[in-house]
Amino acid sequence: MIIGKLKEAIICLRAGRVTLRYPFEPSVVPEGFHGQPQLDIDKCTGCGACSMACPARCIEITDEADQRTMLYCLDRCSYCARCQEVCPEEAIVLSSEFELATDSVDDLRVTARFDLVRCEECGEVVGTRREIEKLAAEMPEKTGISVDQISWLQLCAECKRKRSLETARDLQAPEQ
Amino acid sequence: MNQQHINWVPSVCPFCGVGCGFLAGVDRGRLVALEYLIEHPVSEGALCPKGNAALDTVHHADRLLHPLKRVGDGFERISWDQALQEIAERILEIREAHGPNALAFLASAKCSNEENYLMQKWARLVGTNSVDHCARLCHASTVAGLGKTLGAGAMTNPVTDTVNADCIFVIGSNYAECHPVAARWVGDALEQGAFLMVADPRVTPTVWHADLCLQLRPGSDVALINGMMKIIVEAGLCNEEFIGSRTSGLEQLRELLQTVELSEVEEISGVPADAIEEAARHYATAEASVIMWSMGITQHITGTDNVMSLANLALITGHLGRPGAGLMPLRGQSNVQGACDMGALSNVLPGYVAVTDFERRRQIAAKWGVTELPTARGLTVVEMMNAAASGDLHSLYVMGENPIVSDPNVQHVRQGLDNIDLLVVQDIFMTETAELADYVLPAALWAEKSGSYTSTERRVQWQPTLVAPPGEALPDWQIICEMGRRTGYADCFPFASPGDILTEINTVSPAYGGITPERVQALGGLIWPCPDEDHPGTPILHQEKFGTEDGLGHITPTPYRPPAETPDEQYPLTLTTGRLVLHYNSGSMTRRTKALLSREPRLFVEISAADAAERGIEDGELVRVATCRGYTDCVARVVPTVAAGVVFMPFHFSGTNILTSDALDPTAKIPEYKVAACQIEKSPR
Amino acid sequence: MNVLYLDLNRCIYCRACEVACEREHGGVSRIFVTLLDWTEPVPVACRHCEKHPCVEACPVDAIEVTDEGAVIIHTNKCISCGLCVIACPFGVIELDKAGKIADKCDLCAHRLADGRQPACVLTCPTRCIQYGEFEEIMARARAKPGLTLVSAVGETGTVVTMPDRPAGAVQKATSGSD
């Protein structure tokens, strides 16, 4: 009985120290670790896909006047990385950061602001300026529709439907 | 959804009178899907929005499930046996105490031919001709006017025959909203070069496609048509050969037309004389012309006159009895034609036999196994409500109608129904009328019973049973049979199925002679007159001779009379009413359908920009519409499609008929829904 | 190649197509009928454009052009970024009520698969919406008297004819207001 216990102690002592001297030395996280999401504000277009995907509803979007505010409440984050998966711009990445203890919840909140574009006709929100500029820049080359034919990017869906006949005329293929 | 289990059954659309078909998908006792029936001869698969939503009301949570009896302000569930026995006893008591004319019955244009036949049979056996239905409120004047002039109060040509017309004259009909599938055939005709002219106070979707639009004032139809006829007669555009061989009465018409001045017509109708002339010339000179009309013609105190003047127009130009040439009163309900054919009207027995016609009445009595039937003309719908208010009517039995929403001047109707001793309502939902009833009986709807339905073009089609009724609900024919037996006429109601009833109809109504239960089940059914079992049906009426006794078309001159109400200082606007494409009649079905209600959710009034500006009313604002009968609050729509001085309200929501006039056409007893003097102001709320 | 054909001259704004589409697609209509100036109805469904901005805009390749020329959204791939909604020239792509998934007309792929025409085509009371072989449809469209052919976006687009309405229906009304 006692001999058994001694054997155990010997095994343990032979193994040496297995824990880190954390916090006196840094803890290195493995690859693929899901730490705090980090937003690259230069890449983000404010489309809101992350907000829709987030199961913990960390990302709140409010559209006011000419501004879209995206509030990342990282205190609620469950580190699932759905935002990273859906982000079309690769603007949000789960970092290796995990030392998040703080006295102030504001330290875990990130706000991003974007210029909004409202419908030229009715004032309904169309999207952020970045989204529309991106589409305007890419579309001619990708679709072959010339720049001056593209007239609808600043209109909401309903107003586009009302203008659909004019748009169709603009886009009309030449009659063979 | 697993489509393999679904049994697809051809069905008849339960809404308007066009008689479209669709395939109803039944899976394990429930209606689960709808598919388009491309083989259908009238609709070719097409359905309007209501038709698309036809299944939504079938398994609706609001359906009535049990017989109910009034207890204080509420209802108590009772057994069928108790309900039928108590109602039968009270009807017999009232007959004992006040005579048979203290009883009245409302049949229904939504029920089958068989059910309407039974309803009027029961009423007449009980001893009264006071059995009527909502045809009184829609095409009673057509039945009267065409009956007098042509001898048959029905559409002369099928809807699909419009495609053969060269000139289509639409007056007082907004078929694009009320009978959308009719627009299919008019559209085809237009593509072949036909000329479309529309006379309507509003710019309706029907007008959008017109070549000529006559925006007349409500109630000026006779003046306009007389003006057209004057131009035709004076320009020598009459069809002399047709007039000579097939008509009588032209001389009297000539005399009347001599008193008509075009400048006056212009003033009364508000239509410029050159437009009237253009319309007259197009109508008269086209190879084949049809006239289509609906409530805009019939719902006036001059409704019968309006119809007769249209018949005159067709008779002097010979536009009758040929493909593409005819008179088309478009009827509004799936079986309003059939309910009239079955004699569910207070003045006629089945087959339009006048109740005063001794000889033929006796023949029908003999077939029913009695010696005599009541001889005096009974009360019509509006007269019933008046009699109820004055205390002369003690019992009203209502099958599938909602007079508290659909009748004119509904505050008066409410007084009448409050005053009545016994009100029985047999319906599928707790309608506004049922809420006032002493007994409410749960009925089966179109899909839960079989029977034949006659569409606007006289096409009799069979609706097979698709699913079982919910709860204890019973088909109307079973309820009426049981009522008939319990009121002492057991021998007269031996029927075990709707087919048995149709077999009796075959013997009583000559036009239905060959429309047997076996033949009518073919896709598309049969078009009456179909006198015997080998007859193929008659799509076009009056080809050889008219249905009058002498076989001639009777030209019947009709002088112009102004509407019962004209605008004055207190009520300076003219209110006219009508249908919307997304709703149906009193709305008890369509207001329970999400797809329809979400697109047209509330009552509104259309008002011209000029009238709105004068009153400081903005588009979308809540306003109060008032007539001398009451007021109702609704949303204003400021539109360019009504003329200044005219406002329009749909009648599918309770509220509109608080305002409408119950002045009656003297012949057909149809109320003047289409003209009421009103005022509009910002709602004080 | 089969295409949709909208003959605007025949539209009566009955919205049967909307109700039919709603019934076929779980309660949401993907065809929209807009009424301009109270008198001019414009039915709009996906044009299935040959140059398809929505396909190019989608960052996750959720929108595909089928062999039949239909432009179809694979909703299970959608990330709800809304770029296709902005990119669509005709306003026929919308996010669902929760703002989650973009969807639009798929030409009733489930019906075409078992040989039935799209629901809006069959239900249309006035034959305003038709579906058929491109050349045949073009022949039909060219044969319409007095109509302008406004759109044939390549051979996979939707063919549209519209009436010339210089004055409009209200002006056509000969009188009434005085």
Side-chain angles (χ1 to χ4, degrees):
Chain A
M1 174 78 176
I2 288 175
I3 294 169
K5 288 286 177 199
L6 283 174
K7 275 185 184 167
E8 222 173 273
I10 291 164
I11 290 166
C12 290
L13 288 170
R14 271 197 196 147
R17 199 175 68 219
V18 292
T19 55
L20 292 176
R21 284 180 51 78
Y22 183 81
F24 303 107
E25 62 183 48
S27 159
V28 181
V29 298
E31 205 174 317
F33 178 79
H34 284 182
Q36 187 177 38
Q38 218 115 54
L39 181 70
D40 184 341
I41 201 85
D42 292 333
K43 285 186 181 170
C44 179
T45 61
C47 74
C50 51
S51 163
M52 287 300 168
C54 180
R57 297 186 195 170
C58 296
I59 308 164
E60 286 173 22
I61 296 185
T62 25
D63 289 346
E64 266 176 328
D66 291 334
Q67 202 160 61
R68 168 170 293 176
T69 309
M70 293 179 74
L71 175 65
Y72 290 77
C73 302
L74 299 178
D75 47 317
R76 291 169 59 165
C77 182
S78 62
Y79 310 98
C80 70
R82 284 286 293 132
C83 50
Q84 177 180 328
E85 279 171 35
V86 300
C87 181
E89 305 297 329
E90 297 179 1
I92 192 160
V93 183
L94 266 66
S95 66
S96 50
E97 189 57 56
F98 63 92
E99 292 164 312
L100 306 174
T102 171
D103 291 339
S104 165
V105 76
D106 288 341
D107 295 345
L108 295 172
R109 302 227 158 138
V110 179
T111 306
R113 292 199 171 82
F114 301 88
D115 284 349
L116 270 185
V117 173
R118 286 184 176 267
C119 175
E120 281 172 352
E121 300 282 336
C122 71
E124 184 70 20
V125 172
V126 179
T128 65
R129 184 161 305 285
R130 282 191 182 182
E131 284 181 287
I132 286 159
E133 281 170 0
K134 176 178 138 82
L135 284 172
E138 291 175 354
M139 206 184 287
E141 196 197 331
K142 281 186 172 174
T143 63
I145 301 172
S146 71
V147 179
D148 48 329
Q149 279 179 311
I150 301 170
S151 58
W152 58 85
L153 291 178
Q154 315 237 344
L155 291 172
C156 73
E158 199 182 332
C159 293
K160 282 194 279 196
R161 295 199 288 270
K162 286 184 183 164
R163 283 250 306 256
S164 62
L165 291 180
E166 281 99 319
T167 311
R169 247 189 235 114
D170 294 346
L171 290 179
Q172 186 162 3
E175 266 265 7
Q176 294 90 19
Chain B
M1 195 189 314
N2 190 344
Q3 302 253 333
Q4 284 176 347
H5 292 290
I6 297 180
N7 181 23
W8 297 102
V9 189
S11 296
V12 185
C13 178
F15 288 104
C16 81
V18 175
C20 303
F22 57 75
L23 288 169
V26 186
D27 184 10
R28 282 159 285 184
R30 284 184 76 81
L31 272 171
V32 293
L34 179 148
E35 186 53 55
Y36 306 99
L37 180 57
I38 299 165
E39 296 80 17
H40 195 274
V42 182
S43 59
E44 295 185 336
L47 286 177
C48 75
K50 298 180 287 282
N52 268 289
L55 305 190
D56 290 22
T57 38
V58 177
H59 301 296
H60 199 283
D62 291 354
R63 286 289 302 277
L64 290 170
L65 302 177
H66 310 286
L68 301 171
K69 180 184 181 178
R70 171 163 302 281
V71 179
D73 285 340
F75 288 103
E76 162 189 286
R77 178 179 164 181
I78 56 173
S79 72
W80 266 113
D81 189 56
Q82 184 189 348
L84 295 167
Q85 198 57 38
E86 286 185 17
I87 295 167
E89 280 167 13
R90 287 195 61 187
I91 285 179
L92 293 176
E93 274 168 31
I94 289 169
R95 185 174 68 171
E96 188 69 28
H98 305 284
N101 287 330
L103 307 170
F105 300 83
L106 283 179
S108 173
K110 295 242 68 64
C111 290
S112 68
N113 285 323
E114 292 72 19
E115 289 162 341
N116 281 289
Y117 176 81
L118 286 188
M119 185 56 135
Q120 60 84 31
K121 184 177 180 181
W122 178 40
R124 282 163 172 141
L125 289 173
V126 170
T128 179
N129 276 319
S130 295
V131 54
D132 217 30
H133 73 288
C134 55
R136 188 63 63 192
L137 309 176
C138 64
H139 270 297
S141 36
T142 298
V143 174
L146 289 188
K148 192 164 173 190
T149 49
L150 309 184
M155 196 154 151
T156 61
N157 299 41
V159 175
T160 50
D161 189 46
T162 323
V163 76
N164 298 316
D166 301 295
C167 174
I168 300 162
F169 179 30
V170 180
I171 179 163
S173 167
N174 179 10
Y175 63 75
E177 285 202 73
C178 312
H179 308 91
V181 173
R184 184 185 195 84
W185 304 104
V186 178
D188 286 358
L190 295 182
E191 270 175 19
Q192 295 174 18
F195 188 85
L196 174 64
M197 47 200 202
V198 183
D200 200 300
R202 297 192 299 141
V203 181
T204 62
T206 306
V207 175
W208 298 345
H209 307 97
D211 298 296
L212 177 65
C213 166
L214 313 168
Q215 196 169 17
L216 82 174
R217 290 204 184 90
S220 62
D221 309 80
V222 170
L224 177 72
I225 300 160
N226 281 345
M228 285 173 68
M229 285 196 286
K230 186 181 175 77
I231 292 163
I232 291 170
V233 169
E234 287 181 358
L237 299 173
C238 293
N239 185 335
E240 298 296 344
E241 193 193 327
F242 188 89
I243 294 173
S245 62
R246 300 205 45 193
T247 71
S248 66
L250 180 70
E251 277 319 304
Q252 289 91 311
L253 180 67
R254 274 186 200 279
E255 277 166 35
L256 171 77
L257 294 181
Q258 272 165 7
T259 65
V260 171
E261 288 300 329
L262 277 186
S263 56
E264 267 177 50
V265 171
E266 200 176 37
E267 197 166 304
I268 295 168
S269 65
V271 182
D274 54 349
I276 303 176
E277 166 128 21
E278 195 188 342
R281 285 184 179 274
H282 270 290
Y283 180 80
T285 56
E287 194 66 27
S289 297
V290 294
I291 307 178
M292 301 171 100
W293 74 87
S294 301
M295 304 311 74
I297 279 292
T298 60
Q299 288 177 338
H300 289 283
I301 57 160
T302 57
T304 310
D305 290 354
N306 290 350
V307 173
M308 290 196 298
S309 38
L310 290 173
N312 293 344
L313 183 60
L315 285 169
I316 63 167
T317 50
H319 287 312
L320 274 166
R322 289 177 284 133
L327 293 173
M328 297 199 177
L330 290 167
R331 311 209 58 166
Q333 303 213 48
S334 53
N335 197 35
V336 66
Q337 181 66 52
C340 293
D341 299 342
M342 292 304 120
L345 291 171
S346 61
N347 52 333
V348 290
L349 290 159
Y352 300 98
V353 172
V355 293
T356 48
D357 184 334
F358 177 80
E359 190 70 24
R360 292 163 76 194
R361 184 182 71 231
R362 279 291 178 89
Q363 285 171 7
I364 291 176
K367 281 177 184 143
W368 289 353
V370 292
T371 50
E372 183 54 300
L373 295 170
T375 57
R377 180 178 169 148
L379 297 173
T380 62
V381 173
V382 176
E383 289 169 334
M384 285 177 193
M385 301 309 159
N386 293 340
S390 68
D392 295 331
L393 189 68
H394 293 266
S395 156
L396 180 63
Y397 191 107
V398 182
M399 170 169 82
E401 294 221 348
N402 193 5
I404 208 96
V405 177
S406 58
D407 284 15
N409 194 3
V410 292
Q411 288 189 341
H412 181 66
V413 174
R414 181 177 288 273
Q415 283 166 14
L417 295 182
D418 282 345
N419 197 19
I420 216 160
D421 297 337
L422 175 66
L423 177 64
V424 182
V425 175
Q426 177 176 317
D427 212 314
I428 58 171
F429 291 119
M430 183 58 91
T431 61
E432 290 81 349
T433 307
E435 280 165 14
L436 302 176
D438 298 299
Y439 293 90
V440 180
L441 303 179
L445 51 64
W446 59 274
E448 296 157 357
K449 58 191 182 186
S450 58
S452 64
Y453 293 80
T454 307
S455 76
T456 183
E457 57 179 26
R458 297 172 276 113
R459 185 184 292 277
V460 188
Q461 301 182 89
W462 187 258
Q463 171 65 53
T465 307
L466 303 174
V467 292
E472 295 181 318
L474 287 177
D476 297 272
W477 68 268
Q478 284 185 16
I479 305 173
I480 304 295
C481 276
E482 199 54 42
M483 289 306 310
R485 289 174 197 138
R486 291 186 191 227
T487 43
Y489 303 96
D491 295 346
C492 300
F493 295 91
F495 311 108
S497 73
D500 293 351
I501 306 167
L502 185 54
T503 305
E504 181 173 309
I505 295 170
N506 295 152
T507 66
V508 174
S509 177
Y512 281 72
I515 304 179
T516 60
E518 297 73 37
R519 292 185 76 200
V520 76
Q521 296 195 29
L523 182 65
L526 285 162
I527 297 181
W528 71 254
C530 176
D532 58 64
E533 289 212 29
D534 301 318
H535 197 284
T538 315
I540 298 179
L541 289 179
H542 314 308
Q543 298 196 53
E544 306 286 317
K545 62 185 181 68
F546 290 100
T548 50
E549 273 182 17
D550 56 9
L552 296 176
H554 296 176
I555 297 172
T556 315
T558 51
Y560 166 74
R561 281 186 292 135
E565 276 184 29
T566 42
D568 56 23
E569 243 169 56
Q570 197 183 356
Y571 299 110
L573 300 171
T574 303
L575 169 71
T576 189
T577 64
R579 266 189 191 173
L580 300 173
V581 66
L582 291 160
H583 283 288
Y584 182 74
N585 284 10
S586 83
S588 63
M589 290 161 81
T590 52
R591 282 188 280 126
R592 285 183 169 87
T593 304
K594 186 174 147 271
L596 304 176
L597 190 65
S598 63
R599 288 181 166 76
E600 203 70 85
R602 66 183 75 86
L603 183 61
F604 61 83
V605 57
E606 287 185 359
I607 182 170
S608 70
D611 290 328
E614 200 178 299
R615 291 163 177 78
I617 293 168
E618 302 210 353
D619 188 42
E621 206 172 354
L622 200 65
V623 294
R624 174 161 291 182
V625 188
T627 66
C628 62
R629 288 163 291 275
Y631 65 83
T632 194
D633 290 332
C634 62
V635 174
R637 275 191 192 169
V638 180
V639 296
T641 54
V642 291
V646 178
V647 298
F648 167 81
M649 285 171 85
F651 55 58
H652 311 292
F653 301 87
S654 40
T656 305
N657 282 326
I658 292 173
L659 307 170
T660 47
S661 158
D662 51 0
L664 296 183
D665 174 298
T667 315
K669 310 289 182 193
I670 191 168
E672 190 159 60
Y673 283 103
K674 290 290 185 264
V675 185
C678 79
Q679 176 60 297
I680 298 187
E681 56 186 26
K682 286 190 177 205
S683 177
R685 278 195 303 187
Chain C
M1 189 70 76
N2 286 337
V3 294
L4 269 188
Y5 169 38
L6 302 177
D7 179 0
L8 266 53
N9 191 43
R10 298 193 72 155
C11 180
I12 53 172
Y13 193 58
C14 75
R15 299 164 94 187
C17 50
E18 288 185 1
V19 178
C21 186
E22 199 170 307
R23 204 169 44 69
E24 286 291 330
H25 296 105
V28 183
S29 175
R30 301 157 176 196
I31 185 166
F32 307 85
V33 194
T34 310
L35 188 62
L36 302 178
D37 299 330
W38 299 101
T39 49
E40 285 183 48
V42 184
V44 195
C46 175
R47 296 278 163 100
H48 301 276
C49 312
E50 192 175 31
K51 302 166 178 174
H52 19 59
C54 58
V55 177
E56 304 305 338
C58 182
V60 292
D61 296 333
I63 311 180
E64 183 207 11
V65 187
T66 67
D67 294 342
E68 286 83 39
V71 178
I72 285 177
I73 299 187
H74 294 289
T75 49
N76 55 344
K77 288 190 189 169
C78 175
I79 58 165
S80 62
C81 66
L83 285 174
C84 55
V85 179
I86 303 172
C88 174
F90 300 104
V92 296
I93 310 182
E94 286 200 340
L95 296 177
D96 64 15
K97 284 200 187 81
K100 291 246 178 196
I101 304 293
D103 216 343
K104 65 168 204 61
C105 165
D106 61 352
L107 281 177
C108 280
H110 61 293
R111 294 175 61 89
L112 291 179
D114 54 24
R116 296 175 295 161
Q117 291 217 320
C120 57
V121 173
L122 289 184
T123 198
C124 180
T126 64
R127 307 184 215 270
C128 164
I129 312 176
Q130 302 182 26
Y131 181 75
E133 216 281 318
F134 177 74
E135 279 307 326
E136 197 198 314
I137 289 281
M138 284 300 278
R140 240 184 270 174
R142 288 197 186 100
K144 303 265 181 183
L147 299 181
T148 318
L149 190 68
V150 294
S151 150
V153 192
E155 293 206 1
T156 58
T158 304
V159 179
V160 179
T161 50
M162 67 173 294
D164 304 312
R165 285 185 190 154
V170 175
Q171 280 69 37
K172 231 169 27 183
T174 48
S175 164
S177 54
D178 47 13

